[in-house]
């Protein structure tokens, strides 16, 4: 990297790290207040796997590796919330005793899936898995809102901090992979789905008589 690229990368990555830490804290806070989990199951498994892999197994360059380590330990609280409160929302079509095995299967699948993509595409910065996970998060939050039919575990501040936490990382990503065709598609995808989700979440807040700006 040139000195200018290095500066762009550092500023972009640090801003992203700060906003995503805020998003995780807001998710955890809202989850305990509503006695539920605030991160959909599939991206939760990918998040924990991704952060462990690129924090410890294939550490990314600083400060991204430090961010992954910090995110991993914060994310463990979200995993706890899922295990503590998620059984109540476990699909009735499955036996109740499958709840923990299903969690383990999801986590193992996500972990080795991230490893496989990393090795297959030599993606040791986690570019494709990270941005693919971001799109997965945006889509599954829409599903979470539709499935619950309420704002439980959700707030506009959560979606804004995680959305802008990813947007501010795009300049750093361009420094690492300026010629990628897939990544711009993923950027556009998660922004579109987050915008739809934000609109629907605000509408749901108002239908419940909740001021979206007052729900933290």
């Amino acid at each position: 990297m040139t000195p200018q690229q290095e500066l762009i990368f550092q500023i972009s990555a640090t801003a992203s790290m700060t906003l995503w830490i805020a998003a995780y804290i807001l998710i955890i806070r809202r989850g305990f207040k509503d006695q539920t989990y605030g991160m959909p199951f599939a991206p939760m498994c990918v998040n924990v796997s991704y952060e462990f892999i690129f924090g410890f197994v294939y550490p990314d360059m600083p400060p991204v590796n430090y961010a992954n380590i910090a995110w991993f330990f914060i994310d463990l609280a979200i995993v706890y919330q899922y295990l503590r409160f998620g059984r109540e929302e476990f699909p009735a079509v499955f036996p109740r005793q499958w709840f923990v095995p299903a969690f383990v299967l999801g986590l193992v699948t996500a972990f080795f899936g991230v490893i496989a993509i990393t090795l297959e595409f030599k993606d040791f910065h986690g570019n494709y898995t990270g941005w693919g996970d971001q799109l997965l998060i945006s889509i599954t939050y829409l599903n979470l809102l539709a499935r619950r039919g309420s704002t439980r575990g959700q707030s506009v501040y959560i979606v804004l901090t995680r959305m802008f936490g990813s947007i501010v990382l795009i300049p750093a990503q361009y420094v690492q992979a300026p010629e990628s065709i897939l990544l711009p598609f993923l950027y556009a995808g998660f922004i579109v789905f987050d915008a739809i989700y934000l609109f629907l979440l605000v509408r749901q807040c108002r239908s419940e008589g909740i001021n979206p700006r007052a729900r933290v």
Side-chain angles (χ1 to χ4, degrees):
M1 291 185 191
T2 66
Q4 184 179 14
Q5 289 175 324
E6 178 69 23
L7 179 62
I8 292 171
F9 182 87
Q10 293 292 331
I11 293 173
S12 176
T14 301
S16 176
M17 175 179 67
T18 303
L19 285 168
W20 262 101
I21 287 176
Y24 279 145
I25 291 172
L26 290 170
I27 290 169
I28 293 166
R29 182 180 186 276
R30 191 73 250 166
F32 280 123
K33 286 179 72 70
D34 293 346
Q35 297 290 282
T36 189
Y37 60 95
M39 175 69 74
F41 174 69
M44 179 191 71
C45 292
V46 177
N47 280 356
V48 172
S49 301
Y50 179 96
E51 291 154 2
F52 183 83
I53 290 166
F54 294 105
F56 299 100
V57 182
Y58 301 118
D60 206 336
M61 60 189 299
V64 178
N65 61 324
Y66 304 135
N68 284 323
I69 292 170
W71 291 334
F72 171 75
F73 285 108
I74 295 173
D75 230 0
L76 292 180
I78 297 175
V79 171
Y80 167 78
Q81 289 181 328
Y82 177 79
L83 293 173
R84 172 68 178 81
F85 304 119
R87 193 181 296 269
E88 296 178 6
E89 297 184 37
F90 193 60
V93 68
F94 300 123
R96 299 284 284 181
Q97 60 267 31
W98 284 16
F99 176 70
V100 173
F103 164 75
V104 173
L105 178 61
L107 193 59
V108 169
T109 302
F111 181 86
F112 286 105
V114 173
I115 289 286
I117 293 171
T118 300
L119 297 177
E120 177 75 17
F121 297 102
K122 297 181 172 53
D123 181 31
F124 294 101
H125 291 299
N127 295 332
Y128 300 131
T129 48
W131 290 104
D133 181 37
Q134 178 58 48
L135 181 57
L136 177 65
I137 290 171
S138 302
I139 293 171
T140 53
Y141 260 103
L142 272 170
N143 176 262
L144 184 71
L145 180 62
R147 178 167 53 80
R148 287 179 176 169
S150 76
T151 59
R152 289 179 63 243
Q154 303 160 82
S155 77
V156 295
Y157 299 105
I158 291 172
V159 62
L160 289 173
T161 49
R162 64 173 180 76
M163 180 181 182
F164 284 101
S166 295
I167 289 173
V168 298
L169 187 60
I170 292 175
Q173 189 62 79
Y174 268 114
V175 169
Q176 283 191 338
E179 298 178 357
S180 174
I181 297 172
L182 174 60
L183 293 179
F185 164 76
L186 297 175
Y187 306 152
F190 91 78
I191 292 171
V192 168
F193 281 99
D194 272 348
I196 296 170
Y197 170 71
L198 181 60
F199 170 79
L200 293 175
L201 181 61
V202 169
R203 190 176 73 165
Q204 182 63 34
C205 283
R206 289 172 177 163
S207 73
E208 295 176 18
I210 296 170
N211 180 354
R213 291 176 293 180
R215 181 180 177 82
V216 181

